[in-house]
């Protein structure tokens, strides 16, 4: 049904209907973000069936590549054609991709299916935040987007645990096939309950801009994974990828300045809020999403915890995220100010990661859990403001494009940081394992093997990894500091107060 409400009136005025729609949106979001992490612990099982160990990294990278490359495009398509059908298309693509992943017969078919799945996942992640902008007033939106951000972080924490458990009990294909009933439920609920708001302008798709932007993002993701692909971030193949990306970026800027409907309108950069939040999003992605996997490695290699026990330790981080995210959402809703919480979150990130860099080997686990709780609070406090800020600063007709851009920067920060952190850890332990009695190759040392080592050797391994993680946490702290400096330059904007809207059921 065509809904042409004024821009200041929510798409759905009935509060109960809005909440039900929001629950269906969260269901789709959980499904898409969970798949970014759930595959990690299932990879050994998948490799056992298909082989091709040298290509296992692409099972995760293919999803991240497709997700990142399509985010800004989906945001713009929502502005041009309406967010409802773009969201439904993304869910269908993701669900079909999940089916083909579950039916994969080779590593090649699995990687191709992960690309298809990622193309849908990117649309889901961007569209939900854009739809929130249609459903809720700016201050009310802050509270509900805290739940959206919470789902993203919770899925990141639960993904590895669920992936390992489901692979062990039901086989690795179950981690993909479980998305079919979830996708059908989300698709049905959103199609029936979410009204359609037709955009007022005629669609003019910027095909050259979309292709060039996708090429730029693909170059970033491939370069970030070039340690696995080419052996070094500075290999000649890596530099070729960088050169290609720079050429595409320059071409993209030229194209976006000339087309009538650019994928990311360059006029958005005239407002410093948009530009500064791109920097903040990049840095928060690096210290929140990018650091998550390395906390698990840190716990297992410096304390000797098993993978299952280490994954339960993330309850401390998740608890901090829950407290910080929900509290911040309510406080922004009441005060209308988001800058103070951005500053608090990034300041806590700087301090927490610096503390981790100073922890000696053998630090008691309860102390580590306390600092993980602090890191979770930092993430919870700081993760909402970028989306809320850019949606408030962007014109109504460009909300989707702005949301896609800031979400893309968060994923780009995570992707690049993951590669950098991995290269730092690898450099810290390379070539020293032979000096530890009983250790032939420290890189292949599992937690179970570590427990069987003599006490002196085990302590030496813990000490070695503790020292290797010092520059990792210092790098993360420096990234948070860069984000904090950008946040300090934000204007002290106050969100407009919510307007009174007649509460009666909106048409489905």
């Amino acid at each position: 049904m065509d809904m042409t409400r004024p821009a200041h009136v929510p798409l759905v005025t009935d509060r109960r209907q809005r909440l039900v729609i929001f629950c269906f949106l969260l269901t789709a979001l959980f499904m898409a973000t969970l798949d970014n992490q759930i595959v990690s612990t299932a990879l050994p099982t998948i490799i056992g069936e298909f082989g091709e160990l040298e290509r296992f990294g692409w099972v995760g990278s293919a999803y991240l590549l497709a997700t990142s490359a399509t985010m800004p495009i989906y945001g713009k398509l929502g502005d041009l054609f309406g967010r409802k059908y773009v969201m439904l298309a993304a869910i269908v693509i993701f669900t079909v991709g999940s089916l083909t992943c579950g039916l994969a017969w080779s590593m090649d078919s699995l990687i191709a299916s992960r690309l298809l799945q990622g193309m849908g996942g990117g649309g889901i992640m961007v569209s939900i935040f854009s739809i929130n902008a249609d459903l809720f007033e700016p201050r009310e939106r802050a509270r509900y987007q805290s739940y959206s951000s919470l789902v993203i972080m919770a899925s990141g924490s639960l993904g590895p645990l669920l992936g390992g458990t489901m692979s062990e009990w039901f086989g690795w294909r179950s981690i993909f096939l479980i998305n079919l009933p979830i996708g059908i439920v989300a698709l049905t609920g959103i199609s029936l309950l979410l009204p359609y708001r037709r955009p007022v302008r005629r669609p003019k798709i910027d095909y050259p801009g979309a292709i060039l932007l996708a090429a730029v993002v693909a170059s970033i993701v491939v370069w970030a994974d070039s340690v696995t692909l080419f052996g070094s971030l500075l290999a000649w193949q890596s530099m070729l990828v960088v050169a290609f990306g720079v050429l595409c970026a320059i071409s993209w800027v030229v194209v976006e300045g000339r087309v009538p409907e650019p994928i990311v309108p360059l006029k958005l950069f005239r407002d410093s809020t948009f530009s500064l939040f791109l920097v903040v999003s990049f840095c928060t992605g690096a210290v929140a999403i990018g650091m998550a996997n390395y906390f698990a490695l840190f716990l297992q290699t410096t304390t000797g915890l098993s993978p299952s026990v280490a994954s339960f330790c993330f309850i401390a981080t998740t608890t901090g995220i829950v407290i910080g995210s929900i509290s911040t959402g309510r406080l922004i809703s009441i005060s209308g100010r988001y800058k103070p919480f951005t500053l608090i979150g990034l300041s806590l990130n700087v301090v927490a990661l610096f503390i981790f860099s100073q922890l000696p080997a053998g630090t008691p686990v309860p102390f580590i859990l306390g600092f993980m709780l602090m890191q979770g609070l930092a993430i919870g406090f700081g993760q909402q403001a970028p989306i809320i800020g850019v949606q408030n600063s962007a014109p109504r007709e460009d909300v989707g494009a702005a949301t896609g851009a800031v979400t893309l920067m968060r994923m780009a920060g995570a992707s690049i940081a993951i590669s950098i952190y991995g290269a730092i850890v690898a450099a810290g332990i390379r070539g020293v394992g032979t000096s530890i009695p009983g250790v032939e190759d420290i890189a292949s040392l599992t937690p179970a093997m570590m427990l069987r080592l003599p006490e002196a050797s085990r302590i030496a391994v813990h000490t070695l990894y503790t020292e290797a993680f010092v520059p990792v946490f210092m790098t993360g702290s420096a990234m948070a500091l860069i984000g904090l400096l950008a946040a300090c330059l934000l204007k002290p904007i106050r969100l407009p107060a919510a307007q009174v809207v007649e509460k009666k059921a909106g048409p489905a």
Side-chain angles (χ1 to χ4, degrees):
M1 182 175 292
D2 179 13
M3 300 296 297
T4 55
R5 299 174 182 269
H8 64 277
V9 178
L11 184 61
V12 177
T13 56
D14 180 65
R15 185 173 182 274
R16 183 177 299 176
Q17 184 179 350
R18 272 187 288 169
L19 291 178
V20 175
I21 293 171
F22 187 67
C23 288
F24 282 116
L25 291 173
L26 289 186
T27 300
L29 181 65
F30 182 79
M31 175 180 68
T33 54
L34 184 69
D35 248 63
N36 197 26
Q37 297 290 340
I38 196 171
V39 74
S40 59
T41 47
L43 277 175
T45 307
I46 296 173
I47 294 168
E49 179 171 335
F50 290 149
E52 301 188 56
L53 175 63
E54 69 281 358
R55 303 178 61 200
F56 85 98
W58 273 103
V59 177
S61 296
Y63 185 84
L64 181 61
L65 172 62
T67 299
S68 302
T70 55
M71 277 181 173
I73 299 172
Y74 273 109
K76 188 63 179 182
L77 290 176
D79 290 337
L80 292 175
F81 295 99
R83 312 194 203 289
K84 175 177 179 176
Y85 295 119
V86 171
M87 178 67 165
L88 294 177
I91 295 175
V92 170
I93 293 171
F94 180 87
T95 306
V96 172
S98 298
L99 175 62
T100 56
C101 283
L103 300 177
W105 59 91
S106 66
M107 188 65 80
D108 286 338
S109 63
L110 179 59
I111 292 172
S113 299
R114 288 286 283 172
L115 280 169
L116 179 62
Q117 198 182 30
M119 290 173 64
I124 292 172
M125 283 186 260
V126 169
S127 296
I128 183 174
F129 290 113
S130 300
I131 292 172
N132 284 350
D134 290 337
L135 289 176
F136 305 109
E137 295 282 355
R139 292 200 185 188
E140 188 183 24
R141 190 187 312 154
R143 180 152 45 97
Y144 286 97
Q145 288 198 166
S146 68
Y147 302 135
S148 303
S149 300
L150 181 61
V151 166
I152 293 175
M153 301 311 300
S155 63
S157 300
L158 293 174
L161 182 62
L162 288 176
T165 304
M166 292 180 66
S167 296
E168 184 178 348
W169 289 0
F170 308 110
W172 66 266
R173 297 178 188 274
S174 65
I175 67 175
F176 299 114
L177 297 178
I178 190 63
N179 291 327
L180 270 63
I182 299 175
I184 292 172
V185 168
L187 187 70
T188 303
I190 294 171
S191 62
L192 293 178
L193 295 176
L194 181 66
Y196 171 61
R197 173 183 279 168
R198 178 180 296 169
V200 296
R201 52 187 175 175
R202 295 182 61 186
K204 295 180 180 179
I205 301 177
D206 174 21
Y207 292 106
I211 294 171
L212 287 169
L213 183 58
V216 172
V217 175
S219 299
I220 294 173
V221 175
V222 172
W223 176 81
D225 201 34
S226 57
V227 172
T228 301
L229 297 174
F230 311 125
S232 171
L233 290 172
L234 301 177
W236 69 267
Q237 298 97 326
S238 304
M239 293 298 97
L240 192 62
V241 171
V242 171
F244 176 74
V246 170
L247 178 62
C248 291
I250 295 172
S251 303
W252 177 77
V253 172
V254 173
V255 168
E256 297 301 89
R258 297 179 178 178
V259 296
E261 289 288 354
I263 291 293
V264 180
L266 298 183
K267 65 182 179 181
L268 292 175
F269 291 93
R270 297 171 188 166
D271 189 334
S272 62
T273 299
F274 179 75
S275 302
L276 290 170
F277 267 132
L278 290 183
V279 178
V280 170
S281 292
F282 183 91
C283 295
T284 53
V287 299
I289 304 172
M291 190 63 74
N293 290 338
Y294 290 92
F295 273 119
L297 182 62
F298 175 78
L299 287 169
Q300 294 178 54
T301 56
T302 63
T303 65
L305 295 178
S306 67
S308 58
V309 175
S311 41
F312 278 112
C313 289
F314 277 89
I315 293 175
T317 304
T318 305
T319 301
I321 293 171
V322 171
I323 296 172
S325 186
I326 294 179
S327 301
T328 301
R330 293 187 179 278
L331 291 172
I332 293 176
S333 181
I334 294 170
S335 67
R337 300 191 183 279
Y338 52 75
K339 179 177 177 178
F341 304 101
T342 309
L343 297 175
I344 292 172
L346 286 165
S347 298
L348 284 174
N349 269 135
V350 172
V351 175
L353 293 173
F354 179 77
I355 290 174
F356 269 105
S357 72
Q358 303 302 308
L359 293 179
T363 300
V365 173
F367 283 97
I368 295 177
L369 293 180
F371 297 129
M372 290 184 71
L373 175 65
M374 182 179 179
Q375 172 71 356
L377 286 170
I379 296 170
F381 275 120
Q383 66 181 347
Q384 296 177 60
I387 291 176
I388 294 172
V390 299
Q391 288 182 342
N392 184 64
S393 67
R396 166 68 64 173
E397 65 272 15
D398 293 322
V399 164
T403 304
V406 79
T407 309
L408 168 65
M409 288 302 290
R410 179 183 294 177
M411 296 300 292
S415 175
I416 293 175
I418 287 171
S419 180
I420 292 174
Y421 299 154
I424 293 173
V425 173
I429 65 172
R430 187 179 295 120
V432 297
T434 54
S435 63
I436 301 175
V439 178
E440 295 182 4
D441 181 10
I442 194 169
S444 62
L445 193 64
T446 66
M449 296 166 61
M450 200 178 300
L451 290 175
R452 293 195 294 268
L453 290 173
E455 183 177 359
S457 297
R458 189 167 63 250
I459 294 174
V461 171
H462 293 337
T463 302
L464 175 63
Y465 269 104
T466 300
E467 293 173 353
F469 268 98
V470 169
V472 172
F473 290 125
M474 290 295 289
T475 301
S477 184
M479 291 293 296
L481 181 59
I482 294 172
L484 179 60
L485 294 175
C488 289
L489 300 176
L490 289 168
K491 301 172 185 176
I493 294 173
R494 189 170 187 174
L495 298 174
Q499 302 187 27
V500 179
V501 179
E502 182 183 358
K503 294 185 178 181
K504 57 184 179 180

